[in-house]
Amino acid sequence: MKKGEKTMLKREYSQNFHANRAIEAVLKFCEMNEIAVNIANFQWKEFFAIKEAEHQLEEIDIRTLGVSDQIEILNLHNELILQSYYSYFKDTFSSTNPLIKGRHIELLCDLLTLAVMGLIKTGGHGTNIVINMPPRHLKSTTITNAFPSWFMLKTQKSVIVTTYGDSLAEKSGALNRDLYDRYHTLFGVNPINPSQKSKAVWSILGGGRFIGSPIDGKVTGEGADLLIIDDPVKNRKDANSLIRRERIKEAWEDDLRTRRHPGNPITLIVMTRWHEADLAGIVLADTSEKFASLVLKAEHDSEEVDVLGRKSGELLWNEGGFNTDYFKPFKMNKRTWASLYQQSPTVEEGDHFKQQYFKYFEVNQSNGIISLFEEDGSIAERNLRTCHKFITVDSAMKEGNQNDETVISVWLETEQLELLLLDSMHQRLSIPKQVALLRSIIVREKPYATYIEDKQGGTFLVQKLREEGFAIEELAGDTDKILRAEASVNLYENGKIYHNMNLFDLQYLEKQLLVFPNGSHDDFVDTVSYAGKLYMNKNYSDIHHFIYGNSRT
């Protein structure tokens, strides 16, 4: 879109400042998410006209008008309810308790209107949007508890709403059912099937169905044209649970994403960010299906462009009472402020691997001398030729961006019982590419053994490379990652593990150690954990004596 076109658009279609700001927010969202906008399209012109009428209507005091004018205004109001979710949403509030307006609320409503109009498609899968915003800023009220009713009134199609618990899914079903029942006469559509009394599951006579369910509940056999996932995790404990995150990921990949009907389905993931590997992080990293992203921070900072055009320090919903004083106690906890309110989850450092335990070495390739750099500034030398070399492998099944990486780590055992990380490669690779890469590394490094965890893709690697005559050993799968890492943690604490200071991407690999077990990836950690277990088992008596000071057995 050309700058001149946008200026012409405002001059031609809108004379209202507030309508212009609302339109600018929509256009900025499209620009930020690379969604094409054709302002000459009659549907876009229709949307711009709707925004103009909505804001003109807001400025009219109906009490000052005559009866005929009041009737005309009421008819226009009802027409806007049929055409714009923003007008509908405002109308669902009573006159004694009206909606406290906010620009973010209008933007949410406008995007949902455009999604139903089919104007903001994100690809072949229809319209997909991840919406991240702070707690108590009406995200569930706007999207989950009211939009499904307007969608069903407009389209007569089916909806699936999932959240972290039964009660919230049931609440959404009940609220949307009441709204549908209240407005179906105005829309001139079929009523709700009176034989269905459930709050969480109900249907329209001759039309679509509403299904509310926990995110890990099964909706087998059901389909929908609107899928809403609202806050799939309950709290930080839930978000930090690897088991819970895996269940949510499986629910999305194996069940929910398959429930959408073909055509132009709408998928909305609405959540506050708790963790970098939450569902929002997963789908935004998945290149197989594009999701647009709407990030609404409680307070805009100057580092990024804000979709609402806020200046640095400007709050999201000051009108709703969320002012500077409200946020003071939350800003005291930087982690809470960053994740829940600014939608930038920071990874909490774990209590296993520590930065102060990291030690380094470098190798002089010309003479094979290894220099170990000690904390007191001294340098100990080892001979590369007297070290024993082995490899640990953590294999992943798939090569997509949303999947885990395959990590291959090369280790040295010194005569003085040090464990040196010589090299480590991490990539998302298909199984055949893993075989080719690992084969080339084994040929180049000539380890005395290569250890591969016997699970999924690793099982194939073991079989394939053994057939080719390589010395491959299986690692028994261990589901408890923390217990698996115990040996390596002890070795780090006692100064027995060193990192090659010239290792490519060392900072990235060390971060995995530091945030374990809270990080989104721990594939490198797995290769470290297995190296520590292997090395401890092989040198048990010597290492045990070094660490614990007991007599050797």
Side-chain angles (χ1 to χ4, degrees):
M1 180 183 305
K2 298 177 181 178
K3 185 175 182 181
E5 290 180 321
K6 190 182 297 184
T7 303
M8 179 191 70
L9 164 79
K10 293 192 293 184
R11 183 174 64 249
E12 182 177 357
Y13 295 108
S14 180
Q15 303 299 320
N16 186 289
F17 170 74
H18 296 291
N20 285 339
R21 290 213 304 174
I23 291 171
E24 287 296 330
V26 167
L27 297 177
K28 177 58 68 176
F29 168 84
C30 293
E31 178 185 335
M32 294 171 70
N33 287 282
E34 300 180 342
I35 296 173
V37 175
N38 179 8
I39 62 173
N41 180 285
F42 76 95
Q43 285 184 294
W44 276 102
K45 290 182 178 181
E46 180 184 357
F47 172 73
F48 299 145
I50 287 171
K51 297 310 299 175
E52 174 75 14
E54 282 181 326
H55 285 281
Q56 286 180 353
L57 207 60
E58 286 181 340
E59 296 174 359
I60 296 174
D61 184 353
I62 194 170
R63 296 169 300 180
T64 65
L65 303 177
V67 175
S68 61
D69 288 335
Q70 288 185 4
I71 292 174
E72 183 178 347
I73 292 299
L74 179 60
N75 288 335
L76 175 59
H77 173 66
N78 287 340
E79 181 63 27
L80 287 172
I81 288 174
L82 301 178
Q83 300 300 323
S84 169
Y85 177 58
Y86 182 52
S87 289
Y88 174 85
F89 183 63
K90 289 187 295 181
D91 195 72
T92 63
F93 289 78
S94 67
S95 58
T96 57
N97 184 31
L99 170 67
I100 300 175
K101 297 172 186 175
R103 291 182 60 203
H104 71 292
I105 298 171
E106 183 171 6
L107 175 60
L108 289 174
C109 292
D110 288 344
L111 293 178
L112 297 178
T113 298
L114 291 166
V116 174
M117 294 174 72
L119 292 179
I120 52 172
K121 295 180 180 180
T122 53
H125 297 277
T127 301
N128 304 326
I129 309 176
V130 173
I131 301 166
N132 302 129
M133 53 189 291
R136 307 200 58 77
H137 280 61
L138 291 196
K139 66 179 185 300
S140 293
T141 303
T142 306
I143 300 169
T144 308
N145 296 336
F147 177 60
S149 63
W150 189 75
F151 176 85
M152 296 178 77
L153 287 162
K154 289 280 290 182
T155 68
Q156 297 289 282
K157 294 180 178 179
S158 296
V159 175
I160 293 176
V161 171
T162 68
T163 184
Y164 64 77
D166 284 299
S167 60
L168 293 180
E170 188 173 277
K171 176 183 177 182
S172 173
L175 290 171
N176 281 287
R177 179 177 182 137
D178 289 345
L179 289 174
Y180 186 97
D181 191 51
R182 173 178 159 188
Y183 285 94
H184 83 273
T185 302
L186 174 62
F187 278 76
V189 294
N190 290 335
I192 294 170
N193 186 340
S195 66
Q196 295 180 338
K197 305 299 182 183
S198 170
K199 296 178 180 179
V201 180
W202 50 271
S203 64
I204 306 166
L205 283 174
R209 194 178 189 194
F210 181 99
I211 300 169
S213 170
I215 188 169
D216 51 0
K218 295 297 182 183
V219 288
T220 304
E222 305 294 347
D225 294 276
L226 170 62
L227 170 64
I228 297 177
I229 302 174
D230 185 357
D231 275 336
V233 296
K234 183 177 182 180
N235 49 35
R236 187 173 295 282
K237 180 180 178 182
D238 211 11
N240 284 343
S241 168
L242 177 61
I243 293 175
R244 179 62 180 164
R245 293 200 308 273
E246 286 296 320
R247 285 179 179 172
I248 292 171
K249 181 180 178 182
E250 290 173 2
W252 162 249
E253 293 182 345
D254 299 337
D255 191 17
L256 293 174
R257 74 188 301 181
T258 70
R259 297 292 137 203
R260 297 167 298 177
H261 290 149
N264 185 37
I266 300 171
T267 305
L268 306 172
I269 297 177
V270 191
M271 58 188 295
T272 296
R273 297 298 304 271
W274 291 91
H275 196 283
E276 64 170 5
D278 57 21
L279 184 59
I282 291 170
V283 299
L284 290 174
D286 182 1
T287 58
S288 68
E289 181 175 353
K290 181 181 177 181
F291 270 79
S293 173
L294 176 63
V295 178
L296 296 167
K297 298 182 178 182
E299 180 181 2
H300 178 56
D301 53 50
S302 58
E303 295 181 0
E304 299 176 358
V305 175
D306 179 60
V307 68
L308 296 173
R310 289 180 293 168
K311 297 179 181 179
S312 179
E314 191 174 345
L315 300 176
L316 183 60
W317 197 25
N318 197 67
E319 308 93 327
F322 296 90
N323 52 32
T324 301
D325 289 338
Y326 175 86
F327 289 122
K328 280 182 180 178
F330 300 106
K331 285 188 174 183
M332 297 294 290
N333 186 323
K334 292 183 178 180
R335 183 181 176 210
T336 297
W337 177 250
S339 58
L340 269 69
Y341 292 94
Q342 297 299 87
Q343 310 310 306
S344 300
T346 56
V347 183
E348 182 181 22
E349 288 199 1
D351 54 3
H352 300 279
F353 300 96
K354 298 294 183 182
Q355 181 79 51
Q356 62 264 33
Y357 298 142
F358 293 165
K359 299 170 72 174
Y360 301 94
F361 72 94
E362 65 178 355
V363 181
N364 186 327
Q365 296 294 342
S366 63
N367 59 17
I369 298 299
I370 301 172
S371 298
L372 306 182
F373 300 100
E374 304 296 346
E375 292 177 305
D376 60 4
S378 63
I379 300 175
E381 292 187 347
R382 304 288 184 259
N383 193 326
L384 179 62
R385 297 176 181 84
T386 63
C387 295
H388 295 282
K389 187 181 293 182
F390 68 98
I391 293 174
T392 55
V393 180
D394 183 75
S395 171
M397 283 292 291
K398 302 175 182 178
E399 60 182 328
N401 287 341
Q402 76 275 19
N403 296 301
D404 293 331
E405 294 184 316
T406 293
V407 179
I408 303 170
S409 295
V410 183
W411 302 89
L412 298 175
E413 306 172 27
T414 70
E415 290 183 310
Q416 289 75 18
L417 302 182
E418 291 112 357
L419 183 58
L420 314 184
L421 176 63
L422 180 65
D423 200 358
S424 188
M425 290 128 287
H426 59 96
Q427 286 182 268
R428 292 181 175 88
L429 299 168
S430 63
I431 298 299
K433 290 179 181 178
Q434 290 178 39
V435 172
L437 177 61
L438 185 52
R439 180 192 297 117
S440 66
I441 292 173
I442 294 174
V443 170
R444 182 188 71 214
E445 298 293 344
K446 299 179 176 59
Y448 70 79
T450 296
Y451 297 88
I452 305 173
E453 186 176 3
D454 187 15
K455 67 171 186 179
Q456 299 178 336
T459 303
F460 180 81
L461 289 181
V462 170
Q463 295 172 349
K464 180 64 175 174
L465 292 171
R466 275 182 175 171
E467 290 174 0
E468 297 181 14
F470 293 105
I472 306 295
E473 299 292 337
E474 298 175 20
L475 293 169
D478 187 347
T479 57
D480 191 331
K481 290 177 176 287
I482 294 176
L483 183 62
R484 181 194 307 168
E486 188 177 74
S488 292
V489 171
N490 282 333
L491 291 172
Y492 273 105
E493 288 178 350
N494 288 277
K496 299 298 287 182
I497 296 183
Y498 295 74
H499 297 166
N500 186 345
M501 63 188 302
N502 297 313
L503 183 61
F504 175 75
D505 228 356
L506 180 59
Q507 185 176 3
Y508 168 82
L509 299 174
E510 289 184 340
K511 181 183 177 182
Q512 278 200 26
L513 293 171
L514 293 173
V515 302
F516 176 79
N518 301 321
S520 57
H521 297 289
D522 54 18
D523 319 290
F524 170 67
V525 180
D526 284 342
T527 66
V528 174
S529 299
Y530 279 122
K533 287 185 66 174
L534 291 165
Y535 196 55
M536 188 75 84
N537 290 340
K538 180 180 178 182
N539 304 286
Y540 176 78
S541 59
D542 292 316
I543 295 294
H544 192 277
H545 169 74
F546 178 84
I547 294 177
Y548 301 106
N550 295 336
S551 299
R552 304 187 186 190
T553 56

